Amino acid sequence: FKENRKDDIWLVDFYAPWCGHCKKLEPVWNEVGIEMRNMGSPVKVGKMDATSFSSIASEFGVRGYPTIKLLKGDLAYNYRGPRTKDDIIEFANRVAGPLIRPLPSQHMFEHVQKRHRVLFVYVGGESPLKEKYIEVASELIVYTYFFSASEDVLPEYVTLPELPAVMVFKDGTYFVYDEYEDGDLSSWINRERFQGYLHVDGFTLYELGDTGKLVAIAVIDDKNSSMEHTRLKSIIQEVARDYRDHFHRDFQFGHMDGNDYINSLLMDDLTIPTIVVLNTSNQQYFLPDRHIESTEDMVQFINNILDGTAEAQGGDGLLQRIKRIIYDAKSTIVSVFKSSPLLGCFLFGLPLGVISIMCYGICTADTEGEVFEHEGAKKESGDRELTDEGSEEEQEEEKNGKYTELSDGELKQKDIMEKKKD
Protein backbone atom coordinates (compact mmCIF):
# COMPACT_ATOMS: atom_id res chain seq x y z
CA PHE A 1 0.00 0.00 0.00
CA LYS A 2 2.75 2.44 0.92
CA GLU A 3 4.59 1.93 -2.37
CA ASN A 4 1.58 1.92 -4.72
CA ARG A 5 -0.97 4.18 -3.04
CA LYS A 6 -0.16 7.20 -5.24
CA ASP A 7 -1.33 5.25 -8.29
CA ASP A 8 -4.91 5.39 -7.00
CA ILE A 9 -7.21 7.53 -4.88
CA TRP A 10 -7.79 5.95 -1.48
CA LEU A 11 -10.40 6.52 1.21
CA VAL A 12 -8.94 4.97 4.36
CA ASP A 13 -10.30 4.43 7.85
CA PHE A 14 -7.46 4.34 10.39
CA TYR A 15 -8.84 2.47 13.40
CA ALA A 16 -7.84 0.75 16.65
CA PRO A 17 -9.31 -2.67 17.55
CA TRP A 18 -10.19 -1.56 21.10
CA CYS A 19 -11.88 1.72 20.04
CA GLY A 20 -15.64 1.83 20.63
CA HIS A 21 -16.22 4.58 18.04
CA CYS A 22 -14.31 2.49 15.49
CA LYS A 23 -16.58 -0.50 16.12
CA LYS A 24 -19.62 1.74 15.71
CA LEU A 25 -18.28 3.03 12.37
CA GLU A 26 -17.49 -0.45 11.00
CA PRO A 27 -20.96 -1.33 9.55
CA VAL A 28 -21.24 2.17 8.05
CA TRP A 29 -17.79 1.80 6.52
CA ASN A 30 -18.73 -1.52 4.93
CA GLU A 31 -21.78 0.16 3.33
CA VAL A 32 -19.56 2.97 2.03
CA GLY A 33 -17.23 0.45 0.37
CA ILE A 34 -20.08 -1.48 -1.25
CA GLU A 35 -21.83 1.61 -2.61
CA MET A 36 -18.63 3.24 -3.90
CA ARG A 37 -17.81 0.02 -5.78
CA ASN A 38 -21.34 -0.33 -7.19
CA MET A 39 -21.39 3.25 -8.46
CA GLY A 40 -18.10 2.73 -10.29
CA SER A 41 -16.19 5.30 -8.28
CA PRO A 42 -12.44 5.53 -8.91
CA VAL A 43 -11.95 5.82 -5.15
CA LYS A 44 -10.72 2.68 -3.42
CA VAL A 45 -12.05 2.14 0.10
CA GLY A 46 -9.96 0.44 2.78
CA LYS A 47 -9.21 0.38 6.47
CA MET A 48 -5.97 0.00 8.43
CA ASP A 49 -5.22 -1.03 12.00
CA ALA A 50 -3.23 2.01 13.09
CA THR A 51 -1.90 0.19 16.16
CA SER A 52 -0.31 -2.53 14.03
CA PHE A 53 1.00 -0.14 11.36
CA SER A 54 1.84 2.79 13.61
CA SER A 55 4.60 4.12 11.33
CA ILE A 56 2.20 4.59 8.40
CA ALA A 57 -0.45 6.09 10.69
CA SER A 58 2.13 8.50 12.06
CA GLU A 59 3.22 9.43 8.52
CA PHE A 60 -0.35 10.55 7.75
CA GLY A 61 -0.72 12.42 11.03
CA VAL A 62 -3.23 10.07 12.68
CA ARG A 63 -3.68 11.16 16.30
CA GLY A 64 -7.11 9.77 17.18
CA TYR A 65 -9.43 6.94 16.25
CA PRO A 66 -11.19 6.58 13.96
CA THR A 67 -9.52 8.94 11.48
CA ILE A 68 -10.86 9.05 7.91
CA LYS A 69 -8.55 10.38 5.20
CA LEU A 70 -8.76 10.64 1.44
CA LEU A 71 -5.31 10.14 -0.09
CA LYS A 72 -4.88 11.77 -3.48
CA GLY A 73 -1.35 11.89 -4.85
CA ASP A 74 0.87 13.63 -2.33
CA LEU A 75 -2.12 15.14 -0.51
CA ALA A 76 -4.06 13.69 2.42
CA TYR A 77 -7.47 15.23 3.15
CA ASN A 78 -8.89 14.76 6.62
CA TYR A 79 -12.64 14.09 6.90
CA ARG A 80 -14.31 15.99 9.74
CA GLY A 81 -17.99 15.52 8.90
CA PRO A 82 -20.76 13.36 10.39
CA ARG A 83 -20.00 9.64 10.27
CA THR A 84 -22.89 8.66 8.07
CA LYS A 85 -22.75 6.75 4.79
CA ASP A 86 -24.11 9.58 2.62
CA ASP A 87 -21.88 12.26 4.13
CA ILE A 88 -18.73 10.16 3.77
CA ILE A 89 -19.53 9.24 0.14
CA GLU A 90 -20.31 12.86 -0.71
CA PHE A 91 -16.96 13.91 0.80
CA ALA A 92 -15.08 11.25 -1.18
CA ASN A 93 -16.70 12.21 -4.49
CA ARG A 94 -16.11 15.92 -3.90
CA VAL A 95 -12.42 15.67 -2.96
CA ALA A 96 -11.61 12.97 -5.53
CA GLY A 97 -13.01 15.07 -8.39
CA PRO A 98 -11.64 18.24 -10.00
CA LEU A 99 -10.63 21.05 -7.68
CA ILE A 100 -12.55 23.63 -9.73
CA ARG A 101 -15.55 22.30 -11.66
CA PRO A 102 -16.59 24.23 -14.78
CA LEU A 103 -20.25 25.13 -15.44
CA PRO A 104 -20.53 25.34 -19.25
CA SER A 105 -24.25 26.17 -19.57
CA GLN A 106 -27.21 27.75 -17.76
CA HIS A 107 -28.87 24.35 -17.59
CA MET A 108 -25.87 22.90 -15.79
CA PHE A 109 -25.74 25.92 -13.48
CA GLU A 110 -29.41 25.47 -12.50
CA HIS A 111 -28.90 21.74 -11.96
CA VAL A 112 -25.92 22.28 -9.65
CA GLN A 113 -27.68 25.09 -7.79
CA LYS A 114 -30.58 22.76 -6.95
CA ARG A 115 -28.20 20.15 -5.56
CA HIS A 116 -26.10 22.46 -3.39
CA ARG A 117 -27.38 24.79 -0.70
CA VAL A 118 -24.14 26.81 -0.81
CA LEU A 119 -22.37 27.36 -4.14
CA PHE A 120 -19.07 29.21 -4.72
CA VAL A 121 -18.41 30.39 -8.27
CA TYR A 122 -15.50 32.18 -9.90
CA VAL A 123 -16.44 34.35 -12.89
CA GLY A 124 -13.82 35.70 -15.30
CA GLY A 125 -10.58 34.77 -17.00
CA GLU A 126 -7.04 34.29 -15.77
CA SER A 127 -6.13 36.65 -12.94
CA PRO A 128 -4.40 36.83 -9.54
CA LEU A 129 -7.88 36.42 -7.98
CA LYS A 130 -8.31 33.10 -9.79
CA GLU A 131 -4.93 31.90 -8.55
CA LYS A 132 -5.99 32.79 -5.00
CA TYR A 133 -9.34 31.06 -5.58
CA ILE A 134 -7.60 27.85 -6.65
CA GLU A 135 -5.29 28.04 -3.63
CA VAL A 136 -8.24 28.42 -1.24
CA ALA A 137 -10.13 25.63 -2.99
CA SER A 138 -7.24 23.20 -2.41
CA GLU A 139 -7.54 23.93 1.31
CA LEU A 140 -11.32 24.08 1.75
CA ILE A 141 -12.46 21.42 -0.75
CA VAL A 142 -13.03 19.18 2.30
CA TYR A 143 -15.99 21.41 3.22
CA THR A 144 -17.62 22.63 0.00
CA TYR A 145 -17.61 22.61 -3.81
CA PHE A 146 -15.89 25.20 -6.01
CA PHE A 147 -17.06 26.08 -9.52
CA SER A 148 -16.16 28.43 -12.35
CA ALA A 149 -18.40 29.93 -15.03
CA SER A 150 -18.57 32.64 -17.65
CA GLU A 151 -20.77 35.70 -17.13
CA ASP A 152 -23.40 34.62 -19.69
CA VAL A 153 -24.04 31.38 -17.78
CA LEU A 154 -25.18 33.20 -14.63
CA PRO A 155 -28.89 33.78 -13.93
CA GLU A 156 -30.40 36.99 -15.29
CA TYR A 157 -30.95 38.49 -11.85
CA VAL A 158 -27.19 38.52 -11.13
CA THR A 159 -25.41 41.85 -11.51
CA LEU A 160 -21.64 42.04 -11.15
CA PRO A 161 -19.91 45.37 -10.48
CA GLU A 162 -16.69 44.16 -12.12
CA LEU A 163 -14.83 41.11 -13.38
CA PRO A 164 -13.22 38.89 -12.29
CA ALA A 165 -15.41 38.11 -9.29
CA VAL A 166 -16.04 35.41 -6.69
CA MET A 167 -19.64 34.81 -5.67
CA VAL A 168 -21.58 32.65 -3.27
CA PHE A 169 -25.15 31.54 -3.97
CA LYS A 170 -27.20 30.66 -0.88
CA ASP A 171 -30.38 31.49 1.02
CA GLY A 172 -32.20 32.21 -2.24
CA THR A 173 -29.86 35.02 -3.24
CA TYR A 174 -26.17 35.73 -3.95
CA PHE A 175 -23.31 37.75 -2.46
CA VAL A 176 -20.19 39.05 -4.16
CA TYR A 177 -16.80 38.98 -2.49
CA ASP A 178 -15.33 42.43 -1.81
CA GLU A 179 -11.67 42.37 -0.81
CA TYR A 180 -11.85 45.74 0.97
CA GLU A 181 -14.93 44.92 3.04
CA ASP A 182 -14.58 41.15 3.44
CA GLY A 183 -10.83 40.84 3.93
CA ASP A 184 -8.93 37.68 3.03
CA LEU A 185 -10.64 35.42 0.46
CA SER A 186 -10.00 32.27 2.50
CA SER A 187 -11.57 33.79 5.62
CA TRP A 188 -14.56 35.02 3.64
CA ILE A 189 -15.23 31.61 2.06
CA ASN A 190 -14.80 29.93 5.44
CA ARG A 191 -17.42 32.29 6.93
CA GLU A 192 -19.83 31.99 4.03
CA ARG A 193 -19.78 28.20 3.59
CA PHE A 194 -22.78 27.90 5.91
CA GLN A 195 -26.34 28.95 5.23
CA GLY A 196 -27.59 31.97 7.12
CA TYR A 197 -29.86 29.80 9.28
CA LEU A 198 -28.98 26.27 10.40
CA HIS A 199 -30.27 23.36 12.43
CA VAL A 200 -27.36 23.31 14.89
CA ASP A 201 -26.04 20.19 16.56
CA GLY A 202 -22.81 19.48 18.44
CA PHE A 203 -20.81 18.79 15.28
CA THR A 204 -22.11 21.89 13.45
CA LEU A 205 -21.33 24.05 16.47
CA TYR A 206 -17.77 22.71 16.46
CA GLU A 207 -17.42 23.55 12.75
CA LEU A 208 -18.85 27.04 13.29
CA GLY A 209 -15.97 27.70 15.67
CA ASP A 210 -13.67 28.05 12.63
CA THR A 211 -15.71 30.97 11.27
CA GLY A 212 -15.01 33.27 14.23
CA LYS A 213 -18.69 34.23 14.40
CA LEU A 214 -20.98 34.42 17.41
CA VAL A 215 -23.77 31.84 17.20
CA ALA A 216 -27.30 32.95 18.09
CA ILE A 217 -29.39 29.86 18.86
CA ALA A 218 -33.03 29.27 19.73
CA VAL A 219 -32.91 26.28 22.10
CA ILE A 220 -36.24 24.52 21.62
CA ASP A 221 -37.91 21.12 21.55
CA ASP A 222 -38.66 20.19 17.94
CA LYS A 223 -41.38 17.80 19.09
CA ASN A 224 -43.11 20.55 21.03
CA SER A 225 -45.45 22.46 18.73
CA SER A 226 -46.48 25.05 21.30
CA MET A 227 -46.54 28.70 20.24
CA GLU A 228 -43.56 29.71 22.42
CA HIS A 229 -41.24 27.16 20.79
CA THR A 230 -42.25 28.04 17.23
CA ARG A 231 -42.23 31.78 17.99
CA LEU A 232 -38.61 31.88 19.16
CA LYS A 233 -37.52 29.81 16.16
CA SER A 234 -39.37 32.20 13.82
CA ILE A 235 -37.76 35.25 15.45
CA ILE A 236 -34.26 33.86 14.84
CA GLN A 237 -35.16 33.00 11.23
CA GLU A 238 -36.51 36.50 10.58
CA VAL A 239 -33.42 38.18 12.00
CA ALA A 240 -31.16 35.93 9.90
CA ARG A 241 -33.12 36.77 6.76
CA ASP A 242 -34.08 40.43 7.20
CA TYR A 243 -30.94 41.71 8.95
CA ARG A 244 -28.40 39.73 6.97
CA ASP A 245 -26.51 42.81 5.78
CA HIS A 246 -26.21 44.10 9.37
CA PHE A 247 -25.12 40.97 11.21
CA HIS A 248 -23.77 38.34 8.78
CA ARG A 249 -20.11 39.23 9.38
CA ASP A 250 -20.43 38.72 13.14
CA PHE A 251 -23.32 36.30 13.67
CA GLN A 252 -24.53 32.87 12.63
CA PHE A 253 -28.15 31.96 13.35
CA GLY A 254 -29.92 28.68 13.98
CA HIS A 255 -31.89 26.51 16.37
CA MET A 256 -30.96 23.49 18.50
CA ASP A 257 -33.23 20.62 19.44
CA GLY A 258 -33.09 20.03 23.20
CA ASN A 259 -30.80 21.49 25.84
CA ASP A 260 -28.61 18.50 26.76
CA TYR A 261 -25.62 19.57 24.68
CA ILE A 262 -25.99 23.24 25.52
CA ASN A 263 -26.21 22.42 29.24
CA SER A 264 -22.89 20.56 29.12
CA LEU A 265 -21.34 23.46 27.22
CA LEU A 266 -22.62 26.15 29.59
CA MET A 267 -22.37 23.98 32.76
CA ASP A 268 -25.86 25.12 33.63
CA ASP A 269 -29.45 23.91 33.17
CA LEU A 270 -31.22 26.13 30.65
CA THR A 271 -34.99 26.16 30.70
CA ILE A 272 -36.33 25.73 27.18
CA PRO A 273 -37.46 27.40 25.05
CA THR A 274 -34.83 30.09 25.33
CA ILE A 275 -32.28 32.03 23.30
CA VAL A 276 -28.53 31.96 23.88
CA VAL A 277 -25.61 33.52 22.00
CA LEU A 278 -22.35 31.56 22.07
CA ASN A 279 -18.79 32.70 21.48
CA THR A 280 -17.14 29.41 20.54
CA SER A 281 -13.65 30.93 20.47
CA ASN A 282 -13.48 31.65 24.24
CA GLN A 283 -16.50 29.69 25.59
CA GLN A 284 -18.36 32.83 26.64
CA TYR A 285 -22.11 33.08 26.27
CA PHE A 286 -24.83 35.70 26.51
CA LEU A 287 -28.37 35.29 27.84
CA PRO A 288 -31.06 37.96 27.29
CA ASP A 289 -31.82 39.98 30.42
CA ARG A 290 -35.50 40.05 29.50
CA HIS A 291 -37.97 37.94 27.57
CA ILE A 292 -37.59 38.08 23.78
CA GLU A 293 -41.07 38.95 22.51
CA SER A 294 -40.35 40.14 18.97
CA THR A 295 -37.77 40.54 16.24
CA GLU A 296 -37.03 44.04 17.53
CA ASP A 297 -36.17 42.63 20.98
CA MET A 298 -33.76 40.16 19.38
CA VAL A 299 -32.12 42.89 17.29
CA GLN A 300 -31.70 45.03 20.41
CA PHE A 301 -30.15 42.07 22.25
CA ILE A 302 -27.64 41.54 19.40
CA ASN A 303 -26.78 45.24 19.31
CA ASN A 304 -26.15 45.17 23.07
CA ILE A 305 -23.68 42.32 22.54
CA LEU A 306 -21.91 44.19 19.75
CA ASP A 307 -21.55 47.43 21.73
CA GLY A 308 -20.44 45.62 24.89
CA THR A 309 -23.39 46.47 27.15
CA ALA A 310 -24.62 42.87 27.38
CA GLU A 311 -22.97 40.88 30.20
CA ALA A 312 -20.79 37.98 29.05
CA GLN A 313 -20.85 34.82 31.16
CA GLY A 314 -18.57 31.80 31.21
CA GLY A 315 -15.22 32.09 29.46
CA ASP A 316 -11.94 30.20 29.59
CA GLY A 317 -10.37 31.79 32.69
CA LEU A 318 -8.74 29.84 35.53
CA LEU A 319 -11.89 29.77 37.67
CA GLN A 320 -13.97 28.54 34.75
CA ARG A 321 -11.42 25.83 33.96
CA ILE A 322 -11.56 24.56 37.53
CA LYS A 323 -15.34 24.65 37.38
CA ARG A 324 -15.20 22.74 34.08
CA ILE A 325 -13.00 20.02 35.61
CA ILE A 326 -15.38 19.60 38.55
CA TYR A 327 -18.41 19.59 36.26
CA ASP A 328 -16.89 17.03 33.89
CA ALA A 329 -15.88 14.78 36.79
CA LYS A 330 -19.37 15.00 38.28
CA SER A 331 -21.00 14.31 34.90
CA THR A 332 -18.75 11.30 34.31
CA ILE A 333 -19.55 9.78 37.71
CA VAL A 334 -23.29 10.33 37.26
CA SER A 335 -23.29 8.88 33.75
CA VAL A 336 -21.33 5.79 34.88
CA PHE A 337 -23.72 5.10 37.74
CA LYS A 338 -26.75 5.64 35.50
CA SER A 339 -25.52 3.33 32.77
CA SER A 340 -24.09 0.61 35.04
CA PRO A 341 -24.51 0.93 38.83
CA LEU A 342 -22.45 -2.20 39.54
CA LEU A 343 -19.56 -0.98 37.41
CA GLY A 344 -19.78 2.41 39.11
CA CYS A 345 -19.64 0.83 42.56
CA PHE A 346 -16.60 -1.19 41.52
CA LEU A 347 -14.74 1.68 39.85
CA PHE A 348 -15.29 4.17 42.64
CA GLY A 349 -15.80 1.80 45.60
CA LEU A 350 -12.51 -0.07 45.15
CA PRO A 351 -10.26 3.03 45.33
CA LEU A 352 -12.25 4.33 48.31
CA GLY A 353 -11.84 0.97 50.05
CA VAL A 354 -8.08 0.98 49.45
CA ILE A 355 -7.80 4.55 50.74
CA SER A 356 -9.87 3.64 53.81
CA ILE A 357 -7.58 0.68 54.62
CA MET A 358 -4.52 2.90 54.24
CA CYS A 359 -6.01 5.52 56.55
CA TYR A 360 -6.91 2.85 59.11
CA GLY A 361 -3.37 1.48 58.97
CA ILE A 362 -1.90 4.93 59.48
CA CYS A 363 -4.20 5.68 62.44
CA THR A 364 -3.46 2.27 64.02
CA ALA A 365 0.28 2.80 63.67
CA ASP A 366 -0.03 6.17 65.42
CA THR A 367 -1.93 4.62 68.35
CA GLU A 368 0.69 1.88 68.88
CA GLY A 369 3.39 4.49 68.72
CA GLU A 370 1.67 6.44 71.48
CA VAL A 371 1.52 3.28 73.69
CA PHE A 372 5.23 2.65 73.20
CA GLU A 373 6.02 6.24 74.01
CA HIS A 374 3.90 6.02 77.18
CA GLU A 375 5.67 2.88 78.38
CA GLY A 376 9.07 4.41 77.58
CA ALA A 377 8.17 7.51 79.53
CA LYS A 378 7.00 5.41 82.49
CA LYS A 379 10.25 3.45 82.55
CA GLU A 380 12.27 6.63 82.29
CA SER A 381 10.33 8.07 85.22
CA GLY A 382 11.04 4.99 87.33
CA ASP A 383 14.74 5.21 86.58
CA ARG A 384 14.68 8.84 87.53
CA GLU A 385 13.10 8.00 90.93
CA LEU A 386 15.71 5.31 91.50
CA THR A 387 18.45 7.72 90.67
CA ASP A 388 17.08 10.28 93.11
CA GLU A 389 17.06 7.76 95.99
CA GLY A 390 20.52 6.40 95.11
CA SER A 391 21.68 2.93 94.16
CA GLU A 392 21.84 -0.05 96.63
CA GLU A 393 25.60 0.19 96.80
CA GLU A 394 25.38 3.85 97.66
CA GLN A 395 22.80 3.08 100.35
CA GLU A 396 25.07 0.28 101.79
CA GLU A 397 28.03 2.61 101.81
CA GLU A 398 25.92 5.17 103.57
CA LYS A 399 25.04 2.60 106.27
CA ASN A 400 28.67 1.62 106.67
CA GLY A 401 29.53 5.24 107.06
CA LYS A 402 27.00 5.53 109.87
CA TYR A 403 28.48 2.45 111.58
CA THR A 404 31.94 3.94 111.65
CA GLU A 405 30.61 7.02 113.33
CA LEU A 406 29.37 4.88 116.30
CA SER A 407 31.67 3.97 119.24
CA ASP A 408 33.13 0.50 119.80
CA GLY A 409 30.83 -0.25 122.70
CA GLU A 410 27.81 0.74 120.75
CA LEU A 411 28.94 -1.50 117.91
CA LYS A 412 29.33 -4.49 120.25
CA GLN A 413 25.93 -3.85 121.76
CA LYS A 414 24.40 -3.66 118.24
CA ASP A 415 26.07 -6.92 117.18
CA ILE A 416 24.66 -8.69 120.27
CA MET A 417 21.16 -7.44 119.46
CA GLU A 418 21.41 -8.63 115.84
CA LYS A 419 22.59 -12.11 116.98
CA LYS A 420 19.63 -12.33 119.31
CA LYS A 421 17.35 -11.53 116.41
CA ASP A 422 18.96 -14.22 114.27
Side-chain angles (χ1 to χ4, degrees), residues 10 12-13 31 47 65 69 82 91 112-113 123 136 139 177 188 216 233 243 282 298 303 319-320 331 335 387:
W10 280 91
V12 182
D13 167 29
E31 293 178 6
K47 60 181 181 179
Y65 309 113
K69 287 183 177 285
F91 162 81
V112 170
Q113 194 173 13
V123 183
V136 174
E139 175 189 354
Y177 165 69
W188 179 77
K233 182 178 178 181
Y243 292 85
N282 60 8
M298 187 64 199
N303 284 326
L319 185 61
Q320 284 297 121
S331 301
S335 63
T387 303

Side-chain angles (χ1 to χ4, degrees), residues 109 112-114 116-121 144 155 157-158 167-176 187-198 208 211 213 240-241 244-245 247-249 251-253:
F109 187 96
V112 170
Q113 194 173 13
K114 290 178 181 178
H116 303 287
R117 296 176 179 177
V118 179
L119 192 70
F120 289 97
V121 182
T144 188
Y157 61 82
V158 174
M167 314 170 60
V168 59
F169 291 83
K170 65 176 184 177
D171 302 329
T173 183
Y174 70 95
F175 307 97
V176 182
S187 300
W188 179 77
I189 291 177
N190 198 36
R191 291 196 305 268
E192 297 293 339
R193 62 186 175 92
F194 296 98
Q195 293 178 277
Y197 182 88
L198 296 170
L208 289 172
T211 66
K213 293 183 179 182
R241 182 187 65 243
R244 200 267 177 194
D245 292 338
F247 301 135
H248 81 279
R249 285 187 176 86
F251 281 86
Q252 174 68 49
F253 300 92

Side-chain angles (χ1 to χ4, degrees), residues 370-382:
E370 290 175 2
V371 172
F372 292 147
E373 289 176 4
H374 178 70
E375 291 180 351
K378 188 175 180 182
K379 183 177 180 182
E380 185 180 348
S381 177

Side-chain angles (χ1 to χ4, degrees), residues 174-389:
Y174 70 95
F175 307 97
V176 182
Y177 165 69
D178 188 323
E179 182 178 1
Y180 298 102
E181 291 187 4
D182 300 316
D184 181 64
L185 179 63
S186 178
S187 300
W188 179 77
I189 291 177
N190 198 36
R191 291 196 305 268
E192 297 293 339
R193 62 186 175 92
F194 296 98
Q195 293 178 277
Y197 182 88
L198 296 170
H199 181 183
V200 181
D201 55 17
F203 172 77
T204 307
L205 197 58
Y206 174 79
E207 288 292 297
L208 289 172
D210 295 337
T211 66
K213 293 183 179 182
L214 299 175
V215 187
I217 304 174
V219 185
I220 62 173
D221 183 357
D222 276 339
K223 297 179 182 178
N224 192 325
S225 58
S226 66
M227 182 170 293
E228 183 66 9
H229 287 256
T230 56
R231 186 179 63 82
L232 287 182
K233 182 178 178 181
S234 298
I235 287 174
I236 296 291
Q237 288 175 326
E238 290 175 11
V239 173
R241 182 187 65 243
D242 299 339
Y243 292 85
R244 200 267 177 194
D245 292 338
H246 295 84
F247 301 135
H248 81 279
R249 285 187 176 86
D250 301 302
F251 281 86
Q252 174 68 49
F253 300 92
H255 79 274
M256 179 174 283
D257 181 20
N259 62 349
D260 291 340
Y261 185 84
I262 210 76
N263 285 346
S264 65
L265 195 66
L266 272 55
M267 296 182 289
D268 196 4
D269 292 328
L270 286 182
T271 303
I272 58 174
T274 188
I275 288 176
V276 60
V277 175
L278 302 174
N279 186 338
T280 55
S281 63
N282 60 8
Q283 298 182 359
Q284 286 186 342
Y285 62 94
F286 302 85
L287 295 173
D289 56 358
R290 58 192 176 91
H291 197 59
I292 302 295
E293 296 286 350
S294 63
T295 303
E296 289 72 21
D297 291 340
M298 187 64 199
V299 171
Q300 182 61 47
F301 177 44
I302 292 176
N303 284 326
N304 290 342
I305 294 174
L306 291 176
D307 61 26
T309 57
E311 181 183 359
Q313 302 181 49
D316 54 2
L318 179 60
L319 185 61
Q320 284 297 121
R321 292 178 185 177
I322 295 173
K323 185 179 178 182
R324 168 67 62 185
I325 292 172
I326 296 173
Y327 180 87
D328 290 342
K330 180 182 176 182
S331 301
T332 301
I333 294 172
V334 171
S335 63
V336 169
F337 274 98
K338 281 184 177 180
S339 60
S340 178
L342 292 177
L343 179 62
C345 292
F346 176 78
L347 290 177
F348 298 103
L350 182 61
L352 289 175
V354 173
I355 294 172
S356 300
I357 293 172
M358 293 174 63
C359 292
Y360 176 77
I362 293 171
C363 294
T364 305
D366 290 343
T367 304
E368 292 175 353
E370 290 175 2
V371 172
F372 292 147
E373 289 176 4
H374 178 70
E375 291 180 351
K378 188 175 180 182
K379 183 177 180 182
E380 185 180 348
S381 177
D383 293 341
R384 189 180 298 112
E385 291 176 359
L386 185 61
T387 303
D388 293 339
E389 292 179 356

Side-chain angles (χ1 to χ4, degrees), residues 54-74:
S54 57
S55 60
I56 297 180
S58 177
E59 179 183 338
F60 291 119
V62 176
R63 295 181 177 85
Y65 309 113
T67 293
I68 299 173
K69 287 183 177 285
L70 188 133
L71 310 177
K72 182 180 179 182
D74 293 323

